[in-house]
Amino acid sequence: MKKDLSCCCPSLISSRETIRFYLLFVLIALYMLAGAALFSSLERQAELKAHQLWETRLGDFSHEHNISCEKLKSLLRHYEEARTAGIRTKPGRALWDIPGAFYFVGTVVSTIGFGMTAPSTVTGKVLLVFYGLLGCSATILFFNLFLERVITLLSLLVSWCRRRTRRSGPEGPAREDNKNDRKPSVYQVTLVLFVVVLLVACGAASLYSAMEGWTYTESLYFCFVAFSTVGFGDFVSGQREHHEHTWAYQVANCLMMLFGVCCTYSLFNTISVIIKQWLNWLIRTMMPLCIDSWYRQFSVQSLV
């Protein structure tokens, strides 16, 4: 009877890919709702206090200098437009010289997109669409090839360690290596990448803390935001005026960010494989229960 039921409902029972897709969608939606509730409870009060403080300062400044609030807000709107062109209250390095433009295209092809620099001309905006399409695709390919090299290196290391263990152990019948034995598990690759990302982030945070004047916690936060390609733009490295003359720091900054993005992207890939395995286990666990439930319901309807 269960076989007949599975034949009658192939789209519900046999399509595990479809079930996994919808299950992952539901879990991501629930994860986002939980995150929204968490960050709203943490940040909402600070936002309201910042608004109140801003309105107070705006009113005090308007009263002290005898300027209407509307004219002051109009000036601030013009300043917001000027910030897009790279104008800051504190002097900073040039945004569109060759090093600045190279930093910009680096944030484009790596999909970081801090937002502190953006094309202002129509030609530049149109060109960016095609430039980013090709550049992001090539960079993602490079990240995938980087992960393949990491897995190959770990495979050679695992194979070498097992040969050493067999040689140092008691003598026994010679046995050829199985190809599957040479491959590291996804958990081993994830652990290695997690350690590498952690070491790179800690080392980069020390560099940024010294060069940017940030606290170590702020530097670690920047490393995660940059390496994960989230790129909020609240912290951006290498934008101070004196950084224009520190070529060694500019090169180290670009290399550090590229290597960090490579490792973090690879870590995300391996974690996604683990999540997929957990979803498969959850589906295998749920499927017999669902089939039994459908079988009972089908049997009751048949009796009726």
Side-chain angles (χ1 to χ4, degrees):
M1 183 66 71
K2 290 184 179 180
K3 291 183 179 179
D4 295 337
L5 181 62
S6 62
C7 293
C8 295
C9 306
S11 62
L12 295 177
I13 297 176
S14 61
S15 182
R16 291 191 176 184
E17 293 291 334
T18 302
I19 295 174
R20 184 171 59 206
F21 173 78
Y22 287 115
L23 180 59
L24 182 59
F25 175 80
V26 172
L27 292 177
I28 291 176
L30 293 175
Y31 188 75
M32 292 174 64
L33 286 174
L38 176 63
F39 286 105
S40 178
S41 63
L42 290 174
E43 302 294 337
R44 180 57 179 166
Q45 292 300 320
E47 181 189 17
L48 294 175
K49 290 181 180 179
H51 277 283
Q52 292 175 358
L53 180 61
W54 172 249
E55 291 296 332
T56 302
R57 288 177 174 175
L58 195 65
D60 292 342
F61 186 87
S62 175
H63 179 72
E64 181 180 353
H65 296 278
N66 196 21
I67 302 175
S68 66
C69 289
E70 292 301 323
K71 291 183 178 180
L72 184 57
K73 289 180 179 179
S74 176
L75 176 63
L76 292 174
R77 281 193 294 269
H78 288 304
Y79 175 68
E80 289 176 355
E81 295 175 358
R83 282 184 63 87
T84 306
I87 298 174
R88 302 291 187 270
T89 54
K90 292 182 179 180
R93 63 177 309 279
L95 296 180
W96 291 108
D97 59 354
I98 294 299
F102 185 80
Y103 188 87
F104 165 73
V105 297
T107 63
V108 171
V109 300
S110 62
T111 70
I112 295 177
F114 286 122
M116 85 293 181
T117 310
S120 58
T121 63
V122 176
T123 305
K125 292 177 180 178
V126 173
L127 179 62
L128 179 63
V129 175
F130 299 97
Y131 184 88
L133 182 64
L134 180 61
C136 293
S137 301
T139 306
I140 290 175
L141 175 61
F142 177 78
F143 292 161
N144 290 330
L145 294 176
F146 176 83
L147 179 57
E148 290 179 6
R149 297 301 180 274
V150 172
I151 295 175
T152 302
L153 180 61
L154 290 178
S155 300
L156 295 174
L157 184 60
V158 168
S159 179
W160 178 79
C161 292
R162 287 178 177 172
R163 285 199 303 267
R164 289 277 303 224
T165 303
R166 288 172 184 172
R167 289 176 183 176
S168 60
E171 294 184 0
R175 184 177 58 169
E176 293 184 358
D177 289 343
N178 189 352
K179 289 185 178 180
N180 292 328
D181 293 339
R182 301 177 185 176
K183 295 182 179 179
S185 68
V186 65
Y187 295 96
Q188 292 173 331
V189 178
T190 302
L191 179 61
V192 170
L193 286 173
F194 177 78
V195 173
V196 172
V197 169
L198 188 63
L199 292 176
V200 172
C202 291
S206 300
L207 175 66
Y208 292 133
S209 180
M211 296 298 297
E212 302 290 345
W214 303 332
T215 65
Y216 193 76
T217 303
E218 291 173 340
S219 300
L220 280 176
Y221 164 78
F222 167 77
C223 288
F224 173 78
V225 170
F227 295 168
S228 62
T229 70
V230 175
F232 290 125
D234 48 350
F235 289 91
V236 181
S237 60
Q239 299 304 303
R240 296 190 175 187
E241 187 178 19
H242 65 273
H243 290 160
E244 192 165 358
H245 306 289
T246 52
W247 290 93
Y249 172 63
Q250 292 184 35
V251 173
N253 182 28
C254 291
L255 293 178
M256 191 77 69
M257 291 181 63
L258 177 62
F259 186 64
V261 171
C262 278
C263 295
T264 307
Y265 176 85
S266 301
L267 179 62
F268 287 165
N269 270 341
T270 56
I271 292 176
S272 67
V273 173
I274 294 176
I275 294 175
K276 185 177 180 180
Q277 291 180 352
W278 289 351
L279 288 174
N280 290 336
W281 173 84
L282 185 60
I283 292 172
R284 286 195 302 267
T285 305
M286 293 172 58
M287 285 290 285
L289 299 176
C290 294
I291 293 175
D292 288 339
S293 175
W294 294 331
Y295 171 69
R296 293 192 189 97
Q297 185 178 3
F298 183 77
S299 299
V300 171
Q301 293 176 355
S302 299
L303 292 175
V304 174

